[in-house]
Amino acid sequence: MNDRTRVLAAVGATVCLFLGVQLGALALVDPFTESGRQAVENPDDPTNSILYVGVMLVATGLMLAAFKYDLDRLIRLLLVGVSVMISWYVFAELVPAIVGPFVSEGVASGLTIVASLAVGGALLWYPEWYVIDGAGVVMGAGAAALFGISFGLLPALLLLSALAIYDAISVYGTEHMLDLAEGVMDLKIPVVLVVPLTLSYSYRAAGSTDDVLEDGGTEPAAPDDPAGDAPGGDATDGDAADPDDTDAAADDGPDADGALDRDALFIGLGDAVIPTVLVASAAAFLDVSTLAVPVLAVNLPALGAAVGTIAGLLVLMYMVLEGRAHAGLPLLNGGAIGGYLLGALASGLSVATAIGL
């Protein structure tokens, strides 16, 4: 497989993972709403966004402290537990819908529990890249839908704007995500999405992850620096330990011929989750006609946010594959907000209504 094919395959796989999170979230919006999964009493309260960002900052600090005092195993167990919990939310809606006509309610509940525990077991004992990606898509879709139905339009827009600014500061300013990334990546848990560039790549067999497309790099790493720019996922944004802060970086870019000097790309799960919160919020709270798409609660503004996110992703990947480090959420959230507003205007909504005023 030549270098161009590898790059195109990696970009295509990354887009598919993002689409999996987006489509999954849209499919879960109505079931989660009907099941009363909203996390707050008033989703239109803008202070919800401030509270959430505050919780994320505290969680980041606790994670950094835990790594400093060698509590890696505790962090790993905690995040796997979060994975099981979010998977249960998702499977609690999907399993009965699939097997409900054929089995009793008790059996469906049992299958839901088994499926959720299977996710946790796979992450603990066989964290290969496809296990990480599969769990990441399930968790990302569930987390985005949960936050989407809990954040009204204005809180969601404030959340995406605040996290884009925070992401830029953490990459170009304080760079503290580098420390968090170095600890999180080697735990082999779904705070990242892994995109292999070689058929023989094994995430389980990899030592430390030194080739990164996400979170935390500001300068290309030296070829002999195994720590490199490491990706991280925060500890509270989309919940996988809240994978929402993410910065895109490359530790060594393409060589003169455009080849990638790495075996895999890593993208923080939060890069997929956070912009999808707006996609789900638009689907849940905007009173506009829905598009004729089976199973999905999608309208034109939600579709615009999804398309805008993918556009931002393509720009981000181009920059990273060119060897330029860049914070992820400014591009991704910016694309989501821009696409959302265009979709809202195309639906006949005023700007004031679109931003929840």
Side-chain angles (χ1 to χ4, degrees):
M1 184 181 296
N2 61 40
D3 295 330
R4 181 179 296 276
T5 302
R6 292 170 63 204
V7 169
L8 291 176
V11 172
T14 305
V15 169
C16 287
L17 290 171
F18 269 62
L19 287 174
V21 172
Q22 293 177 337
L23 296 176
L26 288 170
L28 290 167
V29 164
D30 285 345
F32 276 0
T33 301
E34 293 169 3
S35 299
R37 301 283 188 200
Q38 273 186 350
V40 296
E41 290 186 7
N42 181 12
D44 293 321
D45 185 353
T47 61
N48 294 335
S49 302
I50 299 174
L51 177 63
Y52 177 79
V53 173
V55 170
M56 187 200 72
L57 292 176
V58 171
T60 300
L62 292 175
M63 291 274 284
L64 289 171
F67 289 129
K68 180 178 180 180
Y69 293 104
D70 297 323
L71 298 176
D72 302 45
R73 289 190 177 183
L74 178 62
I75 294 297
R76 186 165 190 257
L77 289 175
L78 176 62
L79 299 189
V80 170
V82 171
S83 303
V84 172
M85 179 184 71
I86 297 178
S87 297
W88 182 82
Y89 285 145
V90 174
F91 293 141
E93 304 298 339
L94 297 183
V95 171
I98 295 172
V99 305
F102 311 105
V103 300
S104 66
E105 183 177 343
V107 171
S109 298
L111 291 174
T112 297
I113 295 173
V114 170
S116 304
L117 293 176
V119 171
L123 291 173
L124 282 174
W125 292 296
Y126 199 81
E128 192 49 270
W129 63 266
Y130 44 83
V131 173
I132 298 293
D133 287 349
V137 169
V138 171
M139 292 169 54
L146 288 170
F147 283 115
I149 65 172
S150 300
F151 284 81
L153 298 171
L154 179 59
L157 290 168
L158 291 175
L159 178 68
L160 266 67
S161 300
L163 290 179
I165 295 170
Y166 169 73
D167 196 32
I169 292 173
S170 70
V171 176
Y172 307 127
T174 65
E175 303 180 12
H176 65 273
M177 280 300 132
L178 289 171
D179 295 328
L180 183 64
E182 289 178 5
V184 169
M185 280 299 297
D186 293 334
L187 296 180
K188 292 183 170 53
I189 48 179
V191 294
V192 292
L193 299 171
V194 184
V195 181
L197 288 170
T198 61
L199 296 177
S200 60
Y201 176 75
S202 172
Y203 189 47
R204 292 177 64 227
S208 61
T209 45
D210 55 345
D211 300 317
V212 200
L213 177 141
E214 183 18 277
D215 228 6
T218 56
E219 297 292 336
D224 59 348
D225 179 7
D229 304 340
D234 186 25
T236 51
D237 282 16
D239 269 7
D242 241 52
D244 62 74
D245 43 323
T246 50
D247 330 294
D251 77 4
D252 28 3
D255 61 21
D257 298 322
L260 294 172
D261 297 325
R262 63 187 72 152
D263 292 323
L265 302 178
F266 301 84
I267 302 177
L269 181 59
D271 274 350
V273 171
I274 297 305
T276 305
V277 171
L278 180 58
V279 176
S281 179
F285 294 104
L286 275 180
D287 187 18
V288 294
S289 59
T290 59
L291 303 178
V293 181
V295 180
L296 303 182
V298 59
N299 51 39
L300 195 55
L303 179 62
V307 173
T309 301
I310 298 301
L313 173 65
L314 293 176
V315 174
L316 177 64
M317 294 198 71
Y318 173 79
M319 297 177 70
V320 169
L321 292 171
E322 286 290 310
R324 288 177 284 172
H326 204 290
L329 291 184
L331 282 170
L332 295 162
N333 289 0
I337 292 172
Y340 163 75
L341 291 176
L342 289 176
L345 293 176
S347 297
L349 298 175
S350 66
V351 174
T353 299
I355 62 177
L357 297 179

